[in-house]
Amino acid sequence: MPPTPDALPVPPAHPAPPVGHDFAAYARAHWPRLVVTARLLTDDPGAAEELVRRTLVRMCARWRRVPRNDVDFHVRRCLVRIHLRRLRGRRAARRRTVLVLRIWEGLPDAEIAQLLGCSVGAVRACARHAVKKSGSDAVRLREVLTRAAGDVLPSEVPLARLQAGGRVRRRRRLAVAAAVCAALLAPVAVVAADRLGSGGPGDGASGARAGTGGRGATSPVRVVAPGERVTAGGGVRMWLTADGGHWSVPVRLRGDDGYQPSDEPGVSLRMDSVPGGFFLSGLFHGLDGEPGRVEVSTGDGGSTTAKVLVLAGAPGWGIWYASTPLPGKNVEALFAEDGSGDDGGGDRGGAGDGAGDRRIVTVYDASGRVAARSDREWWRI
């Protein structure tokens, strides 16, 4: 009986000599494997090497910001997205990509979903349609890909060209950033000069308006490698592993300082005492893909958009955290609230609905619907 698309065979490993966080060493070691994968995606020798060249040029430009323990994920994501962007709207290209990543690369569906920016269910449906469309089964497709890969003869890595292209792209990006900053700062300079010239008092109303907004902005989502430490406010360090989220805080308490995700939608809330107030963070879980944004009440009637950490290959859960500590008086205000009010998203459903819960943390999915809210379970205050 042929295996189902959800139980595809595991391909052989692609061995590569261990390298440090050095672009030249990485490019030399992984160029042949990347060309093989690109050839399976494009079915064109020239297009395959050009795809890998463009990918490594982009990675070279931002190499310093690539996590040391998760280089392969970021390189593979860049390669796949450049390929699909060139063939935008073609279902056949997306289906072929899923098959190559699943059968040849041996990636789990969750990691493929994060590479493609879609849900795990969409990956599985795409794989089923692709296998059915081919009129074959997973074993035969594996054999076809293996024969095609064996016919690939990668050329020597064009290291000098890659590094030169990376430097050009990096300089271009810095120039664009400088131009944008100059454009944003020019009106501020004009207003400041006008106020200094008039000698009158500043307009408090306009300052208040400038401080508002941004509430609907998408929270920054950062993909981290297993065990990669991220330092946040107040000296708190956080990291993710396959078994859940972990924290290291200045003031240690007894007990486990980790938290395991569950399959049910939800979000935890913890407050750590740090210099300047309390640091708010927690772990969301049970989502279908990455969250759209995470909103955190600030205790003064407002809210702020939290930052998010997700583990490569596990988009349905991760850590959220507020970028700055919350003052003690704001925390007292949060405890004093009865939580009976609605934040504007209650009519759309979601976890934590009810008149008695404290909606301090609200997780929205990619469509803007409420996916989870914090409840009365206060963990490690």
Side-chain angles (χ1 to χ4, degrees):
M1 182 177 181
T4 63
D6 293 332
L8 298 177
V10 178
H14 306 292
V19 297
H21 199 62
D22 177 73
F23 175 77
Y26 183 90
R28 292 191 189 96
H30 293 79
W31 171 266
R33 179 180 64 83
L34 290 172
V35 171
V36 169
T37 299
R39 174 66 180 278
L40 296 178
L41 292 174
T42 62
D43 199 24
D44 184 328
E49 294 208 355
E50 176 62 17
L51 174 60
V52 178
R53 187 194 67 80
R54 292 178 60 191
T55 299
L56 291 180
V57 164
R58 294 193 179 195
M59 298 307 300
C60 180
R62 58 175 184 263
W63 190 253
R64 296 176 183 176
R65 296 186 288 121
V66 177
R68 293 175 179 245
N69 298 328
D70 205 21
V71 178
D72 287 340
F73 172 83
H74 289 270
V75 172
R76 189 181 285 120
R77 182 171 64 173
C78 184
L79 183 142
V80 166
R81 293 189 175 182
I82 291 176
H83 170 62
L84 292 179
R85 193 177 299 120
R86 182 175 61 90
L87 302 172
R88 185 174 299 172
R90 298 187 185 180
R91 290 186 179 180
R94 193 174 185 86
R95 290 172 179 172
R96 186 184 182 102
T97 300
V98 170
L99 288 182
V100 170
L101 294 176
R102 230 180 177 219
I103 300 177
W104 177 254
E105 294 286 341
L107 301 181
D109 292 337
E111 186 168 349
I112 296 175
Q114 196 149 9
L115 288 171
L116 300 180
C118 63
S119 67
V120 175
V123 170
R124 291 172 180 167
C126 189
R128 285 194 296 269
H129 288 305
V131 173
K132 182 178 180 181
K133 192 76 174 177
S134 69
S136 183
D137 56 50
V139 174
R140 294 189 181 91
L141 288 174
R142 170 86 175 85
E143 295 172 352
V144 170
L145 292 178
T146 300
R147 286 196 299 269
D151 295 335
V152 178
L153 295 175
S155 62
E156 187 177 353
V157 54
L159 185 58
R161 186 181 177 189
L162 297 177
Q163 292 175 322
R167 287 192 294 268
V168 170
R169 190 176 184 86
R170 185 163 52 246
R171 286 196 297 266
R172 187 180 303 162
R173 189 178 65 243
L174 292 175
V176 171
V180 171
C181 290
L184 293 175
L185 291 175
V188 178
V190 172
V191 172
D194 180 68
R195 289 185 177 181
L196 289 174
S198 64
D203 186 359
S206 64
R209 286 194 299 269
T212 61
R215 180 174 178 175
T218 303
S219 62
V221 178
R222 175 177 173 181
V223 181
V224 296
E228 178 185 349
R229 265 58 169 177
V230 175
T231 302
V236 179
R237 302 186 74 193
M238 297 169 290
W239 63 97
L240 292 168
T241 61
D243 60 350
H246 304 270
W247 282 257
S248 175
V249 297
V251 180
R252 299 283 299 180
L253 297 182
R254 293 183 178 180
D256 183 22
D257 221 8
Y259 194 76
Q260 294 182 349
S262 69
D263 295 332
E264 295 295 326
V267 57
S268 69
L269 168 67
R270 57 179 283 159
M271 294 186 179
D272 290 294
S273 178
V274 298
F278 291 87
F279 182 78
L280 273 61
S281 62
L283 189 137
F284 64 89
H285 48 81
L287 274 64
D288 186 12
E290 294 179 356
R293 71 182 191 278
V294 178
E295 293 285 334
V296 185
S297 299
T298 55
D300 55 2
S303 65
T304 184
T305 303
K307 296 184 178 180
V308 175
L309 303 178
V310 294
L311 188 64
W317 63 276
I319 288 177
W320 66 266
Y321 66 96
S323 57
T324 58
L326 201 65
K329 62 179 181 179
N330 290 39
V331 173
E332 293 177 3
L334 286 178
F335 276 105
E337 291 178 354
D338 59 7
S340 59
D342 192 6
D343 64 356
D347 59 339
R348 290 175 291 185
D353 285 337
D357 58 2
R358 296 185 175 95
R359 299 171 180 177
I360 297 177
V361 186
T362 305
V363 182
Y364 297 89
D365 62 18
S367 64
R369 294 175 60 87
V370 175
R373 288 193 179 101
S374 59
D375 53 27
R376 290 183 177 274
E377 294 182 3
W378 299 81
W379 177 56
R380 196 180 187 282
I381 300 176

